[in-house]
Amino acid sequence: MSVRHGMLWGMARTTKKDDPLAPVTLAVGQEDLLVDRAVAQVVAAARADDPDTDVRELTPDLLRPGTLAELTSPSLFAERKVVVVRAAQDVAADTVKELKAYLTDPAAEITLVLAHAGGAKGKGLLDAARKAGAREVPCPKMTKPAERLGFVRTEFRAAGRSVTEEACRALVDAIGSDLRELASACGQLAADVEGTIDEAVVARYYTGRAEASSFTVADRAVEGRTAQALEQLRWALAVGVAPVLITSALAQGVRAVGKLATAPRGMRPGDLARELGMPPWKVDKVRQQMRGWTGDGLAVALRAVAEADEAVKGAGSDPAYALERAVVAVAQAARSGGR
Amino acid sequence: MTVWDDVVGQQRVVDQLSAAALAAGALITADPAEARPDSSAMTHAWLFTGPPGSGRATAARAFAAALQCVSPDRALGAAPGCGFCEGCHTTLVGTHADVEVVRTDLLTIGVKDTRDLVRRSSLTPAGGRWQVIVLEDADRLTEGAGNVLLKAVEEPAPRTVWLLCAPSLEDVLPTIRSRCRALVLRTPPAEAIADTLVRRDGVDPQMAAFAARAAHGHIGRARRLATDEGARTRREEVLRIPQMVSDIGGCLKAAQQLVDSAVEDARQVAEGTDAKETEELRAALGASGAGSRLPRGTAGVLKDLQDRQKRRATRTQRDTLDRALIDLAGFYRDVLAVQVGAATELCNAELRPTIDRFAASSTPEHTLRRIEAVLDCRRALDRNVAPLLALEAMTVSLRAA
């Protein structure tokens, strides 16, 4: 986005693109932590400029027609003011009109921060602010593990600390996807630990695993790694994965092996994937898992999983026990051919 | 023709019910001033039990018709249930005002519907004879619904008769069971079924004999097999499964094929009814025509309907799978019969060569284990195990046994 502050607003102060004291700042996205940081950055910059800066936080229900005019009218003492509008996508239509009018003619002493979720809702306001040349801070949700790893790395870098790659990974594994928790963990490690932060340090502070999926359980079991599979199963149950999802993942894992093992030989990978109804990467993965399986092993494993499915659906008294038995049975069956 | 014609091969039960209908008629025509006639043949609650397809519901409906029979011949000493009078006829076609037939195409009958049923059961019969309630799926009553019925079944209004149907006595709550007079229907013999198919449905005698044997004494299934080419094809596919399960790939494929055909069955049933029901409901809510929006606050009603349709699809799938499993068990039963040299008729006489081959290549122990695997699978399905998984566990057992 091109930003032409000085020309548009004809202000005394010349602003750069990343100056936190730009007249209007847009925090776009749904990651609360990043939005809060964007707001805090603006407030800190304003306070540095003038320690008496007045900060006003407004939610859509507090923002009635006229409120904005009241807040942005010149004050007697010419004090600096930061006005933060939270959830700007939910602001009522009348107020949006006022906001748009203000965007074209912002007051010099005032820094406006609009926190907007960035979706289709309230898009008019977002577009108007962009058109007016607001400074934009992206605050998207981080969905991929790699993004979270990157976030942790930047956190430590911002704190001026060196950190090993394994330590970052261990931290993400242990804490999970909540960015706020990740940030505070990074903050604590940076404050408490001297020198390079490595895996051993992370393990001292944070152990365990915040997120375990039914598919990891199934993968480990189908690979015949009993101990890891049981560990994953315990984590999965501890973080509240439903037992039925685990039996269904186990069934899918065993079934995939059975299908691939009996698929016609010499097919091209693309055709094979289509024949089996799996994406190509899955076919490759299952091929790795297939070693060590026998026909009898598959039969035993399928029966064990079916039994567990019945048990977790009410026929047995302890779902966790039924699942453990099934996982052990599958892992043993996976080694039935010897490897 | 009498109302009892469709009750196939159940002479003992028919005798008992005719006697009850006769006594019931006497109760109505009795002069109130005189002493009540001896009425131990008639009672207010009956529980019809018998294997699936033995005609529980048909027997219950025939009895209902006999109770409502208004034939003038009765005064001359004829047994009630002529099959021609207005009472008999309207009951049999399901339009009699005092006969309520309750059945469900869902998995269970809930408390809400049952409360309503109890309320209606206490109405005085409009025709002046009996208020008859035929609960065809008493085994599908939830426990709560069964408890709602208790009081009504124990002491109904003077002219109310409850006719409950369930596969076995154990399928209804003990408290309900003890309040009913039990009637046990037997599995009708194949000859009786074949005879009925020929007489009532005009089926070719040879086909009727085949269908009656293949249906294992299930009258409705026999008729379906005799009249529906698709049902016969599906059955043949199921009977090919024992030959498919020689290796794991075949096992997985066979299981997948069974599930697919069940899903397809459910889809065909749904295709006809679901879209029509949805459109009717939309029209009733004032949103007819494609694309028009539902009025505010009515989305919930549509959601209810969709939930119900989904439950119905589940039921159809399960029924189809269950039928397939029965056919499969029948095949192994034949194999066992050949192996032990039993002199019974085979259900699948047309597959004699295959059956002989199987019998020669395995032992009776194997066969018994295979039958066990099929029955285990039925139980697993009943306990809500994922269908594909349950069937896979079964097919691999068929192979390994």
Side-chain angles (χ1 to χ4, degrees):
Chain A
M1 193 177 81
S2 79
V3 184
R4 293 162 297 161
H5 296 275
M7 271 155 49
L8 260 170
W9 294 312
M11 288 174 51
R13 198 193 155 85
T14 54
T15 53
K16 291 201 302 280
K17 188 183 173 189
D18 52 352
D19 181 1
L21 288 181
V24 182
T25 296
L26 263 178
V28 187
Q30 296 180 15
E31 184 53 64
D32 285 343
L33 175 76
L34 298 181
V35 171
D36 283 351
R37 283 192 173 174
V39 171
Q41 187 196 14
V42 171
V43 171
R47 290 239 161 96
D49 204 36
D50 174 6
D52 293 332
T53 302
D54 185 15
V55 179
R56 293 297 183 89
E57 289 249 358
L58 296 168
T59 48
D61 53 319
L62 290 175
L63 203 59
R64 292 174 204 294
T67 320
L68 192 69
E70 195 182 302
L71 284 173
T72 55
S73 58
S75 102
L76 187 57
F77 309 106
E79 61 180 356
R80 215 168 191 356
K81 221 186 264 180
V82 177
V83 177
V84 183
V85 179
R86 296 277 177 176
Q89 72 277 7
D90 295 334
V91 167
D94 302 348
T95 322
V96 167
K97 223 176 280 167
E98 283 182 24
L99 272 171
K100 279 184 181 166
Y102 173 78
L103 286 173
T104 55
D105 180 23
E109 296 301 312
I110 290 169
T111 307
L112 177 66
V113 182
L114 294 175
H116 194 289
K121 197 175 179 200
K123 197 155 186 308
L125 182 60
L126 192 62
D127 290 343
R130 278 179 178 155
K131 206 167 155 219
R135 182 178 80 107
E136 186 167 337
V137 184
C139 313
K141 272 246 186 275
M142 293 194 182
T143 47
K144 297 195 189 78
E147 287 174 348
R148 287 195 280 274
L149 271 181
F151 173 78
V152 170
R153 239 176 272 133
T154 0
E155 284 291 299
F156 282 118
R157 199 180 306 135
R161 306 302 301 270
S162 62
V163 60
T164 63
E165 185 64 27
E166 290 77 44
C168 292
R169 202 173 295 278
L171 197 60
V172 172
D173 274 353
I175 292 183
S177 58
D178 193 289
L179 225 48
R180 222 176 263 277
E181 282 187 33
L182 272 177
S184 70
C186 291
Q188 182 171 24
L189 284 173
D192 288 7
V193 181
E194 288 175 9
T196 303
I197 295 162
D198 59 13
E199 209 180 346
V201 172
V202 173
R204 192 155 72 234
Y205 278 75
Y206 302 97
T207 52
R209 183 168 291 272
E211 278 148 19
S213 89
S214 52
F215 293 105
T216 7
V217 181
D219 282 344
R220 294 298 94 76
V222 172
E223 286 155 11
R225 288 149 70 178
T226 319
Q228 283 97 323
L230 282 177
E231 188 192 338
Q232 289 292 335
L233 172 66
R234 275 292 161 196
W235 284 122
L237 289 174
V239 300
V241 175
V244 279
L245 295 182
I246 298 177
T247 53
S248 112
L250 280 171
Q252 275 178 38
V254 178
R255 187 178 299 142
V257 169
K259 276 183 173 173
L260 186 62
T262 53
R265 310 253 162 232
M267 274 176 102
R268 281 184 311 165
D271 294 338
L272 189 61
R274 202 164 318 118
E275 164 88 14
L276 299 177
M278 303 178 199
W281 61 264
K282 182 94 191 281
V283 174
D284 293 339
K285 192 169 139 194
V286 175
R287 185 161 286 139
Q288 304 262 313
Q289 296 175 336
M290 211 166 79
R291 296 168 54 233
W293 278 96
T294 59
D296 290 330
L298 281 167
V300 171
L302 272 176
R303 279 202 296 265
V305 177
E307 230 168 77
D309 197 41
E310 190 173 330
V312 301
K313 281 173 177 165
S317 54
D318 185 358
Y321 172 66
L323 286 173
E324 272 177 9
R325 266 178 56 132
V327 164
V328 170
V330 171
Q332 267 171 5
R335 290 196 306 267
S336 55
R339 58 162 139 189
Chain B
M1 169 196 154
T2 72
V3 291
W4 310 110
D5 281 0
D6 285 348
V7 185
V8 180
Q10 311 285 357
Q11 199 47 51
R12 219 168 44 82
V13 168
V14 167
D15 290 345
Q16 192 179 352
L17 289 177
S18 324
L22 200 62
L27 274 177
I28 287 178
T29 46
D31 189 343
E34 285 181 26
R36 284 165 66 84
D38 173 32
S39 61
S40 70
M42 178 62 189
T43 187
H44 57 264
W46 298 77
L47 179 57
F48 292 73
T49 59
S54 56
R56 298 180 302 258
T58 318
R61 233 169 310 170
F63 182 40
L67 287 177
Q68 305 290 9
C69 181
V70 290
S71 153
D73 292 350
R74 284 178 309 128
L76 305 174
C82 61
F84 292 103
C85 71
E86 183 201 344
C88 287
H89 181 71
T90 51
T91 307
L92 289 180
V93 299
T95 53
H96 198 289
D98 297 333
V99 178
E100 173 113 28
V101 178
V102 182
R103 64 198 318 176
T104 182
D105 48 11
L106 306 183
L107 290 169
T108 52
I109 302 177
V111 170
K112 219 168 107 193
D113 299 330
T114 314
R115 289 232 165 85
D116 194 41
L117 189 63
V118 167
R119 188 186 57 75
R120 272 174 292 160
S121 78
S122 54
L123 299 177
T124 306
R129 292 184 61 80
W130 299 93
Q131 178 78 31
V132 185
I133 296 173
V134 184
L135 196 48
E136 285 191 3
D137 300 308
D139 52 316
R140 290 191 187 268
L141 287 169
T142 61
E143 194 171 335
N147 287 329
V148 168
L149 271 192
L150 286 181
K151 187 70 185 153
V153 172
E154 182 170 26
E155 279 183 358
R159 288 290 181 81
T160 299
V161 181
W162 288 86
L163 307 180
L164 277 52
C165 309
S168 79
L169 282 177
E170 283 71 34
D171 286 321
V172 291
L173 288 179
T175 37
I176 296 257
R177 205 188 304 160
S178 66
R179 285 160 165 81
C180 299
R181 184 174 296 177
L183 274 175
V184 183
L185 279 70
R186 61 172 184 157
T187 304
E191 301 82 56
I193 296 180
D195 189 46
T196 312
L197 288 180
V198 173
R199 184 170 46 78
R200 187 180 55 188
D201 302 305
V203 176
D204 167 63
Q206 205 178 346
M207 174 65 89
F210 155 76
R213 262 188 302 108
H216 308 271
H218 190 303
I219 301 168
R221 173 93 177 119
R223 183 180 329 162
R224 182 93 190 275
L225 280 175
T227 53
D228 181 357
E229 175 72 43
R232 283 199 296 274
T233 327
R234 270 205 293 280
R235 181 167 177 280
E236 277 162 25
E237 270 169 23
V238 168
L239 291 177
R240 267 202 296 276
I241 284 180
Q243 300 167 57
M244 280 176 74
V245 295
S246 51
D247 70 334
I248 288 287
C251 292
L252 296 180
K253 217 171 278 163
Q256 186 69 52
Q257 186 187 317
L258 276 174
V259 171
D260 286 349
S261 90
V263 170
E264 175 62 18
D265 233 32
R267 200 185 56 78
Q268 275 176 7
V269 171
E271 209 171 49
T273 46
D274 283 9
K276 189 157 154 272
E277 271 179 3
T278 311
E279 197 37 57
E280 276 173 9
L281 183 67
R282 287 175 64 94
L285 291 173
S288 56
S292 58
R293 288 174 69 98
L294 282 171
R296 197 171 264 278
T298 55
V301 190
L302 199 63
K303 183 91 189 2
D304 281 350
L305 179 70
Q306 281 161 354
D307 282 351
R308 211 161 60 233
Q309 289 171 341
K310 207 171 147 215
R311 282 203 295 275
R312 189 166 59 200
T314 312
R315 161 101 187 255
T316 319
Q317 272 182 41
R318 277 207 197 156
D319 288 355
T320 311
L321 286 178
D322 202 55
R323 246 189 335 262
L325 292 180
I326 295 282
D327 286 340
L328 205 52
F331 177 86
Y332 287 116
R333 171 228 179 242
D334 286 352
V335 173
L336 186 64
V338 172
Q339 279 172 336
V340 300
T344 57
E345 200 184 359
L346 297 187
C347 306
N348 305 291
E350 72 281 0
L351 293 177
R352 185 75 202 218
T354 321
I355 290 171
D356 282 344
R357 212 174 59 237
F358 264 82
S361 66
S362 62
T363 64
E365 288 81 18
H366 285 148
T367 313
L368 275 175
R369 241 176 254 143
R370 287 182 171 135
I371 293 177
E372 201 63 31
V374 176
L375 297 183
D376 276 350
C377 179
R378 283 189 74 196
R379 203 198 54 222
L381 285 178
D382 192 43
R383 296 220 175 138
N384 215 7
V385 173
L388 184 56
L389 180 58
L391 288 166
E392 281 168 351
M394 177 194 76
T395 49
V396 296
S397 303
L398 292 183
R399 160 192 167 276

